Amino acid sequence: PVIAPLCDAPARAGAAPEPSPPAAASVEIQHHQDMTLAVLHTEWEQVNLLQEEFQNAAGIFEKLLEQRAQQVTGRSLASSFLQEVLRQIREAQETAIPCPARIPVFGNTGAGKSTLLNAVLRQNVVPTSGWRSCTAVPVELTASNVAAFRGEVHLKSMEEWKAEVQAALQDLLMSDRQRVSRREPVRGKEETPADVAFATLVAVYPEAFMYTRDPWPSVAAATRELFRIRNQVTTKHAADKVLKFENADGETLAQEVVDYIDSPERDWQPAFFPLVKKVRIICPAAAAHVHPHVVLVDAPGVQDANA
């Protein structure tokens, strides 16, 4: 049925009809629909193929221009033109490398961050615990065109670690501001820098605290003694910068890298986590339920000393 418009008053005889209001612009509504995993993989393969074709073509063109530039002498217009084109090609090559979106997951210790990420990936690749801190370092989770699960443990450089040790020793200085205490600080309601410093050094160098409580005479003396200690942790740290693991099974890989992620509660056993900058776990694209250009980050608990 047609419904006549309502008017406030009847139109006067002979009066010009009022102009009709403009028709509402047609607005195209695009409905977003979540892509399935199969569609994501197809999309990713197409993007990777286009990137590879572009990089190959740009590389060939770049070499041709570099050869041509050697034939052009002096500061001529041709030389300036070639250098400018080369610069733009190299910038385009860098731009064509996609920068993944990093999504960190924050929360209190035991809140379920690692459990959530394992559920998203549908793979138990990060350790979980509901009552204590078990993620002591940032863990990056991503997908790639690999046949097996891969793990990368990025260790701090010796220079970075030495600076961190010296800063921790400064936090353990006694009242004379000269000697360095080996005794565990008296714990209060809130964690102090001295608490964090003591826990960090004991984790890597338990031998330095097991047999004596006598203070070091200075920060320099403490540093020399600590860096002379050789145990399974310090030996591996001195030998490698990036430790690499690979396994066809995600849970088995998780067991191989757990000692670098977890902060174990072991009496006087050296631990790796203070020396680890980050851990990266790369899942096969066929198994990971995550967009290929997204990196999920499992962060330590916000109340942890290393958060």
Side-chain angles (χ1 to χ4, degrees):
V2 177
I3 302 176
L6 298 177
C7 300
D8 292 336
R12 298 189 304 272
E18 295 183 1
S20 302
S26 175
V27 178
E28 181 180 356
I29 301 176
Q30 298 181 348
H31 296 281
H32 173 75
Q33 184 176 3
D34 291 337
M35 288 185 286
T36 64
L37 191 59
V39 174
L40 283 177
H41 290 161
T42 302
E43 178 192 71
W44 190 18
E45 290 174 356
Q46 292 174 348
V47 171
N48 285 341
L49 180 60
L50 289 172
Q51 289 172 351
E52 183 178 354
E53 292 175 347
F54 171 77
Q55 295 290 356
N56 290 338
I60 294 172
F61 191 33
E62 181 182 13
K63 289 181 180 179
L64 290 174
L65 290 177
E66 288 175 345
Q67 294 173 358
R68 190 69 180 90
Q70 295 176 356
Q71 301 170 3
V72 178
T73 58
R75 296 186 176 181
S76 62
L77 291 175
S79 177
S80 299
F81 170 76
L82 285 172
Q83 295 303 322
E84 176 62 20
V85 173
L86 279 170
R87 184 188 65 80
Q88 293 185 13
I89 289 176
R90 289 161 183 162
E91 287 183 355
Q93 286 176 301
E94 293 179 359
T95 304
I97 301 175
C99 182
R102 282 177 166 76
I103 304 177
V105 180
F106 297 102
N108 290 332
T109 300
K113 304 180 298 297
S114 301
T115 302
L116 172 63
L117 290 173
N118 282 336
V120 170
L121 293 170
R122 301 187 186 179
Q123 298 286 336
N124 293 323
V125 293
V126 287
T128 60
S129 175
W131 60 276
R132 69 172 182 87
S133 171
C134 64
T135 305
V137 301
V139 181
E140 294 184 352
L141 305 166
T142 186
S144 184
N145 283 329
V146 293
F149 290 85
R150 295 181 182 178
E152 297 176 357
V153 178
H154 296 253
L155 301 174
K156 298 173 183 176
S157 68
M158 196 60 70
E159 292 75 18
E160 291 172 323
W161 176 238
K162 187 174 183 179
E164 194 170 323
V165 167
Q166 291 177 334
L169 293 171
Q170 289 287 340
D171 290 331
L172 294 176
L173 284 174
M174 301 177 69
S175 58
D176 59 5
R177 306 302 298 169
Q178 182 68 30
R179 294 176 298 162
V180 181
S181 175
R182 297 187 201 230
R183 295 183 179 275
E184 184 174 4
V186 178
R187 290 188 176 274
K189 293 183 179 180
E190 295 184 1
E191 202 166 40
T192 66
D195 294 327
V196 177
F198 182 84
T200 298
L201 296 179
V202 169
V204 180
Y205 307 110
E207 302 90 337
F209 300 86
M210 288 175 61
Y211 306 112
T212 179
R213 292 293 186 269
D214 295 338
W216 286 290
S218 66
V219 170
T223 303
R224 286 194 298 270
E225 179 181 330
L226 293 176
F227 277 83
R228 283 197 298 265
I229 294 175
R230 287 292 177 265
N231 55 38
Q232 61 182 5
V233 170
T234 59
T235 301
K236 190 174 287 290
H237 178 229
D240 296 289
K241 291 184 179 179
V242 180
L243 308 177
K244 296 186 177 181
F245 303 84
E246 184 171 341
N247 200 290
D249 181 65
E251 294 191 19
T252 304
L253 177 79
Q255 293 301 317
E256 293 175 354
V257 300
V258 66
D259 285 342
Y260 304 94
I261 299 173
D262 199 358
S263 52
E265 295 184 348
R266 297 176 297 187
D267 292 335
W268 306 113
Q269 294 294 320
F272 279 99
F273 71 89
L275 297 168
V276 177
K277 191 179 298 185
K278 70 175 181 180
V279 173
R280 190 163 182 255
I281 296 178
I282 306 164
C283 306
H289 291 245
V290 63
H291 193 282
H293 292 157
V294 169
V295 177
L296 301 174
V297 182
D298 189 6
V302 294
Q303 295 177 339
D304 295 351
N306 53 353

